[in-house]
Amino acid sequence: MKSQIVTFLIKCPDQKGLVAKFTSFFYEEGFNIVSCQQYVNAAANRYYMRIRLDAADTTISKETLETKFEKIAKTLNCNWSAHYESEQQNVAIMVSHTSHCLYDLLERQREGDLDCNISLIISNHTKLKSIADMFDVPFYHLPITKETKKEQETQVIELLKKYQVDLIVMARYMQILSEEFINQYPERIINIHHSFLPAFQGANPYQRAYERGVKLIGATAHYATVDLDEGPIIEQDVERITHESTPKTLKRIGADVERLVLAKAVKSHLQHQIIVSDNRAIVFPETGE
Amino acid sequence: MKSQIVTFLIKCPDQKGLVAKFTSFFYEEGFNIVSCQQYVNAAANRYYMRIRLDAADTTISKETLETKFEKIAKTLNCNWSAHYESEQQNVAIMVSHTSHCLYDLLERQREGDLDCNISLIISNHTKLKSIADMFDVPFYHLPITKETKKEQETQVIELLKKYQVDLIVMARYMQILSEEFINQYPERIINIHHSFLPAFQGANPYQRAYERGVKLIGATAHYATVDLDEGPIIEQDVERITHESTPKTLKRIGADVERLVLAKAVKSHLQHQIIVSDNRAIVFPETGE
Amino acid sequence: MKSQIVTFLIKCPDQKGLVAKFTSFFYEEGFNIVSCQQYVNAAANRYYMRIRLDAADTTISKETLETKFEKIAKTLNCNWSAHYESEQQNVAIMVSHTSHCLYDLLERQREGDLDCNISLIISNHTKLKSIADMFDVPFYHLPITKETKKEQETQVIELLKKYQVDLIVMARYMQILSEEFINQYPERIINIHHSFLPAFQGANPYQRAYERGVKLIGATAHYATVDLDEGPIIEQDVERITHESTPKTLKRIGADVERLVLAKAVKSHLQHQIIVSDNRAIVFPETGE
Amino acid sequence: MKSQIVTFLIKCPDQKGLVAKFTSFFYEEGFNIVSCQQYVNAAANRYYMRIRLDAADTTISKETLETKFEKIAKTLNCNWSAHYESEQQNVAIMVSHTSHCLYDLLERQREGDLDCNISLIISNHTKLKSIADMFDVPFYHLPITKETKKEQETQVIELLKKYQVDLIVMARYMQILSEEFINQYPERIINIHHSFLPAFQGANPYQRAYERGVKLIGATAHYATVDLDEGPIIEQDVERITHESTPKTLKRIGADVERLVLAKAVKSHLQHQIIVSDNRAIVFPETGE
């Protein structure tokens, strides 16, 4: 394959000699191991690896590589995926009324901080179309009502297929996706929730945070699952507030936490730093280049 | 009264001219206003003030001051309290097995960072007696069982009365106080909960935090109320964790958050920085001396 | 004057009765005191107040108010300024190559989070013109060389005067302003420095942070003074890094700190929360609305 | 050797196949690899590894293991060290007047959070002897003057040798160690500096932080080198302050940062998480057990 970075994400039952076996395999195939990160969950006896390979010195084809690796994987009962730098991912952003996360993702992608295509923006409202226009990204307005929910989702899915979308980012999309929808994109839908989950699941977290009198507010980026706000948490952060903070100021302060948390989660996903296991997201830290 | 700092905590319905009226009163009585902090809850139309007075240049007696102030207070429908630097507060610490918060409070008091007497330590176990001995603080072992709960609490209350305790600090006391107990010490019992409330109320927060896969863990210091873990929040903080963190490491990392959060809350209480209203704690920031 | 919020910023020698005198004055003139914040620097015997007034119930004119207040101010040897909500401030943004702070300020202003006009953008390069166009803000390209520095600054100042600019934000403008320039805008030029000052003053802070092996990097927003990077600090924050962070990743991580720190500083200035004294910025916390 | 965890710290020039070679070696010797962390500094072409091995299933002796590993090490031009869980480290704490870091280290060790012996406490003052007594640790008072500095250090070194000290912690020891002293304990002396280095190197950092008007203060734990306050940084953290904070309050707020930063640095050292290279400390994150 052409010279590039290949990332393998591997999970399997823990057993002796795994690092040695995996690293020897890639070494013998002529790869240079750029970084090798592992996590052993001793309690669950599970093993996880993220390994990044430089293909500069090997002529092996993608197919051969995967076929050969699958042989080992089978014997070790591995679950794995391989990701090729040369295959850029397509992202769809879904929004409703709130603009800060949308701006943030569009900017980062435009400035080269997010290595992906932002293929389209889908909204159940027209309010944010002007922002899509500013950044020259196709904007689709698909309104939704109780009655039309099913068919709206069908339209959304058609668009996702048409644009061959790899990742869906719910950047403050204020609709609950149906089980059918979510099951079509396992670990490929990232949602930002405007609270420090599991605190304030559900609606109006800032109002409830104000009423509870918390001293910090937060945001949580997680993979969407059929259990609302209970998917694997990718990233969280908080900001200090005071008794002077009104629900309105909480919303403004929280917006800055949301945008950063969502951007970090999306970046971690795009860089293949995440392995999900037992509803927990193992997020390997970014390694220096 | 002797030269000292007097702190008034005031709450009343908001209305025009409050600052002017209060500050003029103290000014005319010969006090120098060291600091004057206020908070207006516009939505609830409530007004709150913390004012610190230097009594150096006045000869007014405590009684006259309070009688005169009560006259104004009545007309403005105020709820208020006055606190005199010369009257040092007595603190009781209640513990079970965990030592870090106990060490922390004893050290800070010994080093002069907490302006109070630590009059006694009460525990339902003997494990931490050696620490009480190290710091020469009376230690009372009052074991508790379902059957003896009522009478144990009676013994505790007798001790609190005997030592004229002003503030009770539950420094990881793993028992739920009865409604009767709590009602005798409104806003005078501070508890540390080892989670970022309202997340993980109740038992085993660290285990549940691990299972949920949160990326930050926290601690919350709050006034104890009859609704468990739902009292007014005084202070909270969090610490970052990773997928590598086990329940055991969470416990250790959390311990440092707990001790700091509890110490800050106790200090704020001792310095009369807190006014509680609608189950929210208004914590005025410390002012420089 | 029309119904609005008026903010007074006051500094003077400390003396008894100041709060009472000031608040009584405004109360008697029919203002409702929305918030009253003070700071006493006991060591320096200086007093500082920020007081926000609701003019809804008074018919007093701006002129009369200021004339009357000046009478008191004189007797107390006060230095003061009054700011009227109805008078929106004009902001100029100066940039070079780096886009993240520019995007951030333009977005916040467009979304109503920064109460000001962004009148123009000035750059010594053309690179960021497309962003100015996206947000429909006039963009002026004024290149600069050692030889043309003086005349370029003259052109800049002409533009600032033409647009009646109240605040200049150096959003990663990689030029040092001359003493003449700075002296024309005391406490009205905010600069963002990409380090945690006073660490890494001057050029290439991220490269130097990497070489020094610090574990946190930061950003500092300060008023520009003739002593480079030594002006009064308005806001600072930091982000954790690791040994894996390269100078390139530091730059990216730091960018998020810079944008937030600069936005907070600009907001504090626009809301008249800042009083400068002895090269220190007293930043009164935002009060709830 | 007896069943235990063995930790290897390895640094060498980067080259293809390193992970494979090292992990295969340990695997073939019958070790189970508990964790394997690496860092590649691409710019410097340097490779670093921390690998933790479970010796439960091997009967190899320490000597054989090290002799065999040295063979590989030579061929790869490695610099390495091996650390055995069964060999507990001896720590000396050096202090002057300030107690908070001393309390903190003694407590953590007493409670089992720091896996080491605290063999002795050395001070140039008697003030903290009572704390040493509380924790039953030998306390040596070795006063120092310009004239006696050389001989005092000789006495200190005799004590360090007598107690076979592995690590020296300067827990606010307000003396500068001589070059001779420091060179005897390379990367084995940890100092806590009460500022966010490189800001405020040298004396009175809090006073200078106050005068500069910074909005955050910090602390830095680093290995002592002959260049004062310029040794490899192990850990840093900061705390937010305000204009209300006086030098006295900075000192108190900073104390909590100092104690946590120092404790983390000492723990990282004791757990063999640190490799120093080019005056930068590579601190591998703690792995879950």
Side-chain angles (χ1 to χ4, degrees), chain C residues 7 33 49 53 82 98 104 112 126 136 149 152 166 184 199 206 231 240 245 267:
Chain C
T7 305
I33 295 171
M49 175 183 269
L53 312 161
T98 319
D104 194 76
T126 55
D136 283 322
K149 184 182 177 69
Q152 190 254 20
D166 300 293
Q184 285 190 53
Y206 290 133
R240 191 159 290 278
S245 310
K267 192 173 180 66

Side-chain angles (χ1 to χ4, degrees), chain B residues 99-100 103-104 106-108 110-111 113 127-128 130-131 134-135 237 239 242 244-246 248-249 252-253 255-256 259-260 264 267 271 286-289, chain D residues 99-100 103-104 106-108 110-111 113 127-128 130-131 134-135 237 239 242 244-246 248-249 252-253 255-256 259-260 264 267 271 286-289:
Chain B
S99 61
H100 52 274
Y103 272 119
D104 194 77
L106 290 169
E107 263 173 50
R108 290 178 194 272
R110 186 177 193 264
E111 297 299 310
D113 285 345
K127 188 180 168 204
L128 304 183
S130 64
I131 300 173
M134 284 167 66
F135 288 84
D237 209 346
E239 183 68 65
T242 75
E244 287 277 5
S245 310
T246 62
K248 193 177 149 222
T249 43
R252 199 193 67 233
I253 294 166
D256 285 329
R259 64 193 298 165
L260 288 180
K264 281 183 190 169
K267 193 173 180 65
Q271 294 183 162
E286 187 178 30
T287 51
E289 247 64 306
Chain D
S99 62
H100 54 273
Y103 271 120
D104 195 76
L106 290 169
E107 263 175 52
R108 290 178 194 272
R110 187 178 192 266
E111 297 299 311
D113 285 345
K127 188 179 167 205
L128 304 183
S130 63
I131 300 173
M134 285 167 66
F135 287 85
D237 209 348
E239 183 66 67
T242 75
E244 287 277 6
S245 309
T246 62
K248 195 178 147 217
T249 45
R252 200 193 67 235
I253 293 166
D256 284 330
R259 65 192 298 164
L260 289 180
K264 281 183 189 169
K267 194 174 179 65
Q271 294 181 163
E286 187 179 30
T287 51
E289 248 62 312

Side-chain angles (χ1 to χ4, degrees), chain A residues 103 130-131 134, chain C residues 105-112 134-135:
Chain A
Y103 271 119
S130 63
I131 300 174
M134 285 167 66
Chain C
L105 294 168
L106 289 169
E107 264 175 50
R108 291 177 194 273
Q109 192 274 343
R110 187 177 192 265
E111 296 300 310
M134 284 168 67
F135 288 84

Side-chain angles (χ1 to χ4, degrees), chain A residues 196-243:
Chain A
F196 182 77
L197 289 174
F200 310 120
Q201 284 185 224
N204 302 323
Y206 289 133
Q207 178 61 37
R208 288 152 61 205
Y210 172 80
E211 285 158 8
R212 182 62 186 93
V214 292
K215 299 301 184 187
L216 301 167
I217 56 167
T220 306
H222 63 91
Y223 286 116
T225 59
V226 294
D227 303 310
L228 188 63
D229 299 335
E230 297 196 346
I233 293 170
I234 303 168
E235 176 67 7
Q236 301 186 287
D237 209 347
V238 296
E239 183 67 66
R240 192 159 289 277
I241 58 170
T242 75
H243 57 268

Side-chain angles (χ1 to χ4, degrees), chain A residues 99-100 103-104 107-108 110-111 113 130-131 134-135 239 244 246 249 252 256 259-260 264 267 286-289, chain C residues 99-100 103-104 107-108 110-111 113 130-131 134-135 239 244 246 249 252 256 259-260 264 267 286-289:
Chain A
S99 61
H100 53 275
Y103 271 119
D104 194 76
E107 261 175 54
R108 291 179 194 270
R110 187 176 193 265
E111 297 300 310
D113 285 345
S130 63
I131 300 174
M134 285 167 66
F135 288 84
E239 183 67 66
E244 287 276 5
T246 62
T249 44
R252 199 193 68 234
D256 285 330
R259 65 193 297 165
L260 289 179
K264 282 183 188 169
K267 192 172 180 66
E286 186 178 30
T287 50
E289 247 60 312
Chain C
S99 62
H100 53 273
Y103 271 120
D104 194 76
E107 264 175 50
R108 291 177 194 273
R110 187 177 192 265
E111 296 300 310
D113 286 345
S130 63
I131 300 173
M134 284 168 67
F135 288 84
E239 184 66 66
E244 287 277 6
T246 62
T249 45
R252 199 193 69 235
D256 285 329
R259 64 192 299 165
L260 288 180
K264 280 183 189 168
K267 192 173 180 66
E286 187 178 30
T287 52
E289 248 64 308

Side-chain angles (χ1 to χ4, degrees), chain D residues 129-190:
Chain D
K129 185 178 186 315
S130 63
I131 300 173
D133 296 343
M134 285 167 66
F135 287 85
D136 284 323
V137 177
F139 180 92
Y140 293 88
H141 174 223
L142 299 177
I144 186 165
T145 64
K146 272 200 195 54
E147 296 64 38
T148 63
K149 185 183 178 67
K150 204 167 175 23
E151 102 199 29
Q152 190 253 20
E153 284 198 349
T154 312
Q155 295 170 302
V156 173
I157 288 168
E158 275 164 15
L159 283 170
L160 299 178
K161 293 200 167 125
K162 177 183 161 203
Y163 283 95
Q164 300 177 297
V165 166
D166 301 292
L167 174 67
I168 300 151
V169 181
M170 297 172 71
R172 301 298 309 273
Y173 180 63
M174 300 285 90
Q175 291 291 322
I176 295 167
L177 301 177
S178 71
E179 189 161 338
E180 296 65 35
F181 190 124
I182 285 169
N183 289 336
Q184 285 190 53
Y185 292 95
E187 293 165 30
R188 287 168 62 194
I189 306 171
I190 295 177

Side-chain angles (χ1 to χ4, degrees), chain A residues 233-235 268 273-275 281-286, chain B residues 215 242-243:
Chain A
I233 293 170
I234 303 168
E235 176 67 7
S268 300
Q273 293 168 246
I274 309 174
I275 299 178
I282 297 154
V283 184
F284 291 104
E286 186 178 30
Chain B
K215 298 302 184 187
T242 75
H243 57 268

